[in-house]
Amino acid sequence: MNQTAELAPDRQRHAPIAAVEPFHAIAVSRVAHELADAGRDIIHMEFGQPSTGAPAAAIAEAHRVLDTEAMGYWESNPLKERIAAHYAETYGVAIEREQVILTCGASPALVLALSCLFAPGARVALARPGYVAYRNTLRALYLEPVELPCGPAERYQLTAAALAALDPAPDGVIIASPANPTGTIIAPDELAAIAAVCQARGIRIVSDEIYHGLSFVGPARSLLEHAPDAFVVNSFSKYFSMPGWRLGWAVVPRESVGAARARMGNLFLTPPVIAQRAGLTAFGCRDELEQHIATYARNRALMLAALPQLGLDKVAPPDGAFYLYADIGHLTADSLGFCERLLRDTGVCTAPGIDFDPVEGHRFMRFSFAVSTDLIEQAIARMIPWFAAQPHLNGG
Ligand SMILES: Cc1ncc(COP(=O)(O)O)c(C=O)c1O
């Protein structure tokens, strides 16, 4: 029987929106782990996760907490104050401690943002390609993703012009700069123009700033510099190299603080005490963290230099984050199958473009270079002969 026919009328209205798709890179990664269990040497470039671990002092602080604290439900005011100070220092933006909500990563922060700002059925614009969870979290919350195709000409980013041209205006927009899967950054002027269009058209902004701090072209600017009522999400998962600690934050517009706190308390309670304590310590570990960026910069340069040897010439060089999103349309129309074959043949695990773009992603793939430089060199050496042996779709 048709599943929709069984649903109550109100659910039927939203049923198509609620179809949440899997994250295909997880399936590829599962194969990688099976191969590793069988003795294969795997290089993991499928997920955007630093392989470096938390800063040493943060780990030491975590040991201390384990030995001395009972770890109940708790929110660290010192950490909120440190985050608020970070906005003043880094972006020249004044926020109050109460606007900072500590979360278990950017993922719940995104749920808070979307559920505070929008009612079911609201239309929220986003760039395509984009982070897989945007589309799926919107759908899970019965919001309608309005995907704007962004190609190499826009360096895969939303523009003020595209937002101004949308008719009717969407209720909201998700901005990500640097972006996943491309690492591209929206130029400061364009960011200001986007904020102006949103202000003029009443479009609420959710700004995912999770890759801030990871930039190769100068610092990324916060949307808060142009739109004080933007809802910002961020995390310790990337710059701070602490993805498994599950710690992040939201900077919430003043009028949404009550709504955000209520949702946090009901949906997620608090992030782990050990992570909050270690996270505060990590703010004092800049020297160690900046070394990771030096590694990513080296890896980026090696990957960019290797692209011609892989025959990949349609790539927007990443401004930040640790990704390369490559057009492989001359080699395949099935990026998932392509990534699986690459994995089985070479042990190099990557992410298929279909995770980031349901329309064009079948001819793209994403490399994450958040691994050691040694592994990047090994991956390149394995991939060059493999790519050279792939038949071209046009027979060329
Ligand atoms: C753009 C973007 N936003 C949010 C997240 C979620 O990160 P977390 O929940 O670990 O903070 C990720 C993870 O890769 C991401 O790439």
Side-chain angles (χ1 to χ4, degrees):
M1 190 198 275
N2 178 333
Q3 206 187 359
T4 311
E6 294 172 10
L7 299 173
D10 184 46
R11 293 295 305 270
Q12 277 179 27
R13 193 164 66 82
H14 295 307
I17 302 175
V20 171
E21 295 150 19
F23 189 1
H24 294 96
I26 293 176
V28 185
S29 189
R30 203 174 295 132
V31 176
H33 285 285
E34 282 166 16
L35 292 173
D37 290 345
R40 288 284 301 280
D41 179 21
I42 303 297
I43 301 176
H44 287 281
M45 298 174 72
E46 72 274 36
F47 294 137
Q49 57 178 9
S51 53
T52 32
I59 292 173
E61 171 65 354
H63 281 292
R64 188 196 65 74
V65 173
L66 269 182
D67 290 340
T68 57
E69 291 198 32
M71 293 201 281
Y73 299 120
W74 175 74
E75 292 169 54
S76 167
N77 280 336
L79 179 56
K80 291 184 197 172
E81 275 155 21
R82 185 66 196 85
I83 290 170
H86 168 70
Y87 282 85
E89 290 159 11
T90 310
Y91 308 112
V93 167
I95 58 165
E96 291 159 19
R97 182 181 86 185
E98 293 316 308
Q99 287 178 262
V100 178
I101 309 259
L102 300 175
T103 60
C104 310
S107 307
L110 184 67
V111 172
L112 291 186
L114 298 176
S115 69
C116 283
L117 295 180
F118 308 115
R123 300 166 63 252
V124 179
L126 64 163
R128 174 170 63 72
Y131 176 49
V132 60
Y134 296 150
R135 191 170 72 239
N136 287 318
T137 308
L138 285 166
R139 287 186 175 139
L141 294 171
Y142 296 99
L143 304 170
E144 185 182 341
V146 179
E147 293 188 313
L148 297 178
C150 300
E154 305 88 32
R155 304 192 69 251
Y156 300 103
Q157 279 285 8
L158 286 179
T159 60
L163 283 172
L166 267 183
D167 184 22
D171 300 287
V173 63
I174 300 177
I175 308 283
S177 170
N180 180 0
T182 55
T184 55
I185 289 180
I186 300 176
D189 290 358
E190 190 64 33
L191 208 59
I194 287 173
V197 168
C198 290
Q199 158 111 48
R201 304 195 78 195
I203 302 170
R204 297 304 307 265
I205 301 173
V206 176
S207 181
D208 184 347
E209 303 186 353
I210 189 169
Y211 292 105
H212 277 215
L214 300 177
S215 168
F216 313 109
V217 295
R221 309 312 318 171
S222 173
L223 230 307
L224 288 173
E225 295 173 47
H226 308 290
D229 65 344
F231 206 123
V232 170
V233 304
N234 208 325
S235 173
F236 283 78
S237 295
K238 310 296 177 180
Y239 174 76
F240 292 98
S241 189
M242 297 171 67
W245 295 69
R246 306 313 301 139
L247 183 64
W249 70 89
V251 179
V252 179
R254 283 186 186 80
E255 72 277 10
S256 299
V257 168
R261 294 193 71 76
R263 280 164 177 72
M264 187 63 204
N266 281 284
L267 299 181
F268 308 110
L269 287 171
T270 58
V273 170
I274 193 167
Q276 295 183 61
R277 295 263 194 223
L280 181 57
T281 305
F283 261 103
C285 301
R286 294 279 169 182
D287 289 349
E288 188 177 338
L289 295 168
E290 291 299 319
Q291 283 172 27
H292 300 333
I293 300 174
T295 302
Y296 302 146
R298 270 199 307 277
N299 294 353
R300 171 183 181 271
L302 284 170
M303 286 295 294
L304 287 175
L307 289 176
Q309 291 164 279
L310 299 177
L312 304 178
D313 55 4
K314 290 189 215 142
V315 172
D319 305 318
F322 28 55
Y323 303 119
L324 259 176
Y325 194 59
D327 189 333
I328 49 170
H330 57 298
L331 300 175
T332 188
D334 167 20
S335 56
L336 180 58
F338 188 86
C339 289
E340 278 182 14
R341 275 195 297 117
L342 173 65
L343 168 64
R344 288 187 191 281
D345 292 350
T346 69
V348 178
C349 191
T350 54
I354 46 166
D355 273 331
F356 311 101
D357 180 344
V359 181
E360 308 265 350
H362 56 275
R363 60 179 182 89
F364 285 86
M365 68 188 294
R366 188 195 71 179
F367 302 91
S368 166
F369 52 82
V371 293
S372 70
T373 302
D374 179 44
L375 286 178
I376 288 292
E377 283 167 345
Q378 286 185 43
I380 290 170
R382 292 187 203 179
M383 287 193 294
I384 287 173
W386 188 87
F387 271 82
Q390 297 309 303
H392 284 208
L393 278 189
N394 59 12

